[in-house]
Amino acid sequence: EIVLTQSPSTLSLSPGERATLSCRASQSVGSSYLAWFQQKPGQAPRLLIYGSSSRATGIPDRFSGSGSGTDFTLTINRLEPEDFAFYFCQHYGASPYTFGQGTKVEIK
Amino acid sequence: QVHLVQSGAEVKKPGSSVKVSCKASGGTFSSDSLNWVRQAPGQGPEWMGRILPILDVANYAQKFLGRVTITADKSTGTAYMDLSSLRSDDTAVYYCARGPNSRLDFWGQGTLVIVSS
């Protein structure tokens, strides 16, 4: 099974700053099957990015994804107050579709 | 717009089973995959398995083989996840999630399952 390792575990930033989140896979995922999710307390995860770099419907363009192979990045430009949350990466190319352990983006 | 509505919270004894339902509306139920993901308190999500209703074929994460069964009723647009031999570490929020090619575009609201004696 592919293990996804996210870093950092916590990111402390101020509104308006840029957040850069990393997701590293234990083996190649390919670029087509890597997704990023946002989750707030008490809510289900929400799909932000699929196929490594495609934004899901309704996701603001301050969210962007990049990467291929084993290294992927989620960038959030100009953090808004509602962006402070947990973020998970996930691959869905081959079963089992594992998730990373998450990065918490918190207000500094 | 796709909407997934799950059944309510459950409290179960160790060794028993739980069956969670997920009713879909909107979109095309049969053509998307319907996945089950769980999340233990303070942990990241964990994919359990999926079903392709159009083929009525399910596959499962190795960890859950023999304990989980995922089924789908195309006539009602409802999927089910049955987990047996429950243990305390099965306490979690269980989500259904749907999308093309196992992409998790849309999620249910989650069902809390508590396993306690």
Side-chain angles (χ1 to χ4, degrees):
Chain A
E1 108 179 13
I2 295 176
V3 176
L4 299 178
T5 302
Q6 292 186 241
S7 61
S9 55
T10 304
L11 200 49
S12 299
L13 295 168
S14 300
E17 291 192 297
R18 172 185 294 176
T20 303
L21 288 67
S22 173
C23 174
R24 178 161 290 178
S26 60
Q27 57 188 279
S28 180
V29 168
S31 61
S32 300
Y33 301 106
L34 193 286
W36 289 92
F37 295 87
Q38 178 193 69
Q39 188 176 33
K40 297 179 180 178
Q43 296 183 17
R46 177 175 72 143
L47 179 67
L48 299 174
I49 301 288
Y50 64 92
S52 175
S53 60
S54 298
R55 272 187 301 278
T57 303
I59 301 303
D61 61 7
R62 64 179 181 274
F63 291 91
S64 63
S66 63
S68 65
T70 59
D71 290 296
F72 300 88
T73 301
L74 174 70
T75 301
I76 313 170
N77 285 310
R78 302 178 309 278
L79 280 164
E80 297 284 344
E82 62 267 28
D83 299 336
F84 292 92
F86 282 91
Y87 292 84
F88 298 97
C89 59
Q90 183 231 4
H91 86 89
Y92 54 101
S95 173
Y97 307 134
T98 51
F99 288 82
Q101 82 283 12
T103 292
K104 180 181 181 181
V105 178
E106 65 176 22
I107 299 177
K108 187 174 181 180
Chain B
Q1 178 69 1
V2 174
H3 199 50
L4 300 173
V5 178
Q6 299 182 221
S7 49
E10 303 262 13
V11 179
K12 294 292 184 180
K13 299 286 189 189
S16 67
S17 298
V18 68
K19 191 168 187 174
V20 181
S21 67
C22 171
K23 182 167 176 58
S25 59
T28 307
F29 179 76
S30 291
S31 61
D32 284 346
S33 68
L34 198 297
N35 296 254
W36 288 91
V37 175
R38 77 177 187 180
Q39 190 169 27
Q43 303 296 313
E46 181 177 34
W47 182 81
M48 301 178 67
R50 68 164 188 175
I51 189 165
L52 298 169
I54 195 169
L55 300 175
D56 204 21
V57 170
N59 63 295
Y60 307 108
Q62 179 78 21
K63 174 178 179 177
F64 299 101
L65 275 177
R67 282 213 302 146
V68 69
T69 303
I70 297 172
T71 56
D73 182 342
K74 291 189 288 291
S75 67
T76 61
T78 304
Y80 301 90
M81 188 281 299
D82 197 324
L83 186 63
S84 63
S85 302
L86 288 169
R87 309 184 288 254
S88 58
D89 62 359
D90 291 317
T91 294
V93 177
Y94 289 76
Y95 294 100
C96 60
R98 171 183 155 183
N101 300 318
S102 289
R103 207 172 75 197
L104 306 180
D105 289 25
F106 304 103
W107 293 65
Q109 83 276 18
T111 296
L112 175 62
V113 175
I114 296 172
V115 182
S116 174
S117 55

